[in-house]
Amino acid sequence: MLEKTNQVNLLFDFYAPLLKGKQREYLELYYLDDLSLGEIAEMHEVSRQAVYDHIKRAEKQLFEYDQKLRLAQRHEKRMEVLARMSELVNELAEGETRDELNTLLHQLSEMD
Amino acid sequence: MLEKTNQVNLLFDFYAPLLKGKQREYLELYYLDDLSLGEIAEMHEVSRQAVYDHIKRAEKQLFEYDQKLRLAQRHEKRMEVLARMSELVNELAEGETRDELNTLLHQLSEMD
């Protein structure tokens, strides 16, 4: 369950803007804010089943988007490359070039 | 028109997998293969209007996806950073570190 939570959280980071209103909202409350189905149902005055259905559909959507665009996988690969570059850069002699390269590496990882 | 063609081509690179069958197919024939609406209509034995509608809808979809995910913009920014890093790396003394950094920079730009 924890692994699935992490996976959904990761995919949510990439694809949340593509999800529709309620799907996105309930998924966020359930996975990111860690509310129970019952709590979300009460908060929105809908049935627990309705919340469950929205969340299941949203999860499915996230996995489908990722199967098509592979953003999570591409992100992970880029991060690996950046980590190796960071090692190499830090082996360089201290100086402006090393500093600027580190700044740019940092920018790249923040952008991702 | 040329600018729009370029823009659609760029967005197509990022979001094509999200487009539905006919929309993707006609858009590809029109923008990437440079066929006319009439030629596509004839090839698929549908009306010119049907082809036009699919293409317009597909274009709209691409722009909507990009408004939500901003992949094209993020790509462009990453490319700028990589270009600057490449300059800096090439100013380093020749050697294994420089070579590996160049290889990794190349990998990053290919991945994007």
Side-chain angles (χ1 to χ4, degrees), chain B residues 17-74:
Chain B
L18 297 180
L19 293 178
K20 302 233 163 63
K22 288 267 171 277
Q23 281 179 25
R24 180 174 174 172
E25 201 176 339
Y26 294 169
L27 198 78
E28 194 163 354
L29 291 169
Y30 187 69
Y31 280 106
L32 281 73
D33 302 338
D34 206 26
L35 296 192
S36 70
L37 295 177
E39 287 168 327
I40 301 170
E42 203 175 326
M43 180 190 284
H44 284 270
E45 297 180 344
V46 293
S47 71
R48 197 178 166 288
Q49 184 64 41
V51 175
Y52 179 81
D53 290 345
H54 276 298
I55 291 174
K56 283 294 139 193
R57 230 171 297 144
E59 283 174 6
K60 192 164 166 269
Q61 279 286 321
L62 289 181
F63 284 99
E64 278 177 16
Y65 286 134
D66 199 53
Q67 219 163 19
K68 289 175 178 166
L69 296 185
R70 301 261 170 230
L71 296 183
Q73 201 178 48
R74 284 156 69 187

Side-chain angles (χ1 to χ4, degrees), chain A residues 18-82:
Chain A
L18 297 180
L19 294 177
K20 302 234 164 61
K22 288 267 174 279
Q23 283 180 24
R24 179 174 176 172
E25 199 174 340
Y26 293 170
L27 197 79
E28 192 163 356
L29 292 169
Y30 187 69
Y31 280 107
L32 281 72
D33 300 339
D34 205 27
L35 296 192
S36 70
L37 295 177
E39 286 170 326
I40 301 170
E42 203 175 326
M43 181 189 286
H44 284 270
E45 297 180 342
V46 294
S47 71
R48 198 178 164 289
Q49 184 64 40
V51 174
Y52 178 81
D53 290 344
H54 276 298
I55 290 175
K56 282 294 139 194
R57 231 172 296 146
E59 283 175 5
K60 191 163 166 270
Q61 279 285 322
L62 288 182
F63 284 98
E64 279 177 14
Y65 285 134
D66 199 52
Q67 220 163 17
K68 289 176 179 165
L69 296 185
R70 300 263 171 229
L71 296 183
Q73 202 178 45
R74 285 156 68 186
H75 165 79
E76 208 174 320
K77 278 195 191 158
R78 274 200 293 261
M79 287 312 198
E80 281 170 22
V81 174
L82 292 178

Side-chain angles (χ1 to χ4, degrees), chain A residues 14 17-18 65 68-69 71 74 77-78 81-82 84-85 88-89 92 97 100-101 104-105 107-108 111-112, chain B residues 14 17-18 65 68-69 71 74 77-78 81-82 84-85 88-89 92 97 100-101 104-105 107-108 111-112:
Chain A
F14 290 106
L18 297 180
Y65 285 134
K68 289 176 179 165
L69 296 185
L71 296 183
R74 285 156 68 186
K77 278 195 191 158
R78 274 200 293 261
V81 174
L82 292 178
R84 176 62 187 143
M85 290 182 78
L88 289 167
V89 166
L92 296 173
T97 302
E100 191 178 346
L101 282 169
L104 294 169
L105 282 172
Q107 278 179 23
L108 282 178
M111 249 177 239
D112 219 299
Chain B
F14 290 107
L18 297 180
Y65 286 134
K68 289 175 178 166
L69 296 185
L71 296 183
R74 284 156 69 187
K77 278 194 190 160
R78 275 199 292 261
V81 174
L82 291 178
R84 176 63 187 143
M85 290 182 78
L88 289 167
V89 166
L92 297 173
T97 303
E100 189 177 345
L101 282 170
L104 295 169
L105 282 173
Q107 278 179 23
L108 282 178
M111 248 178 239
D112 219 298

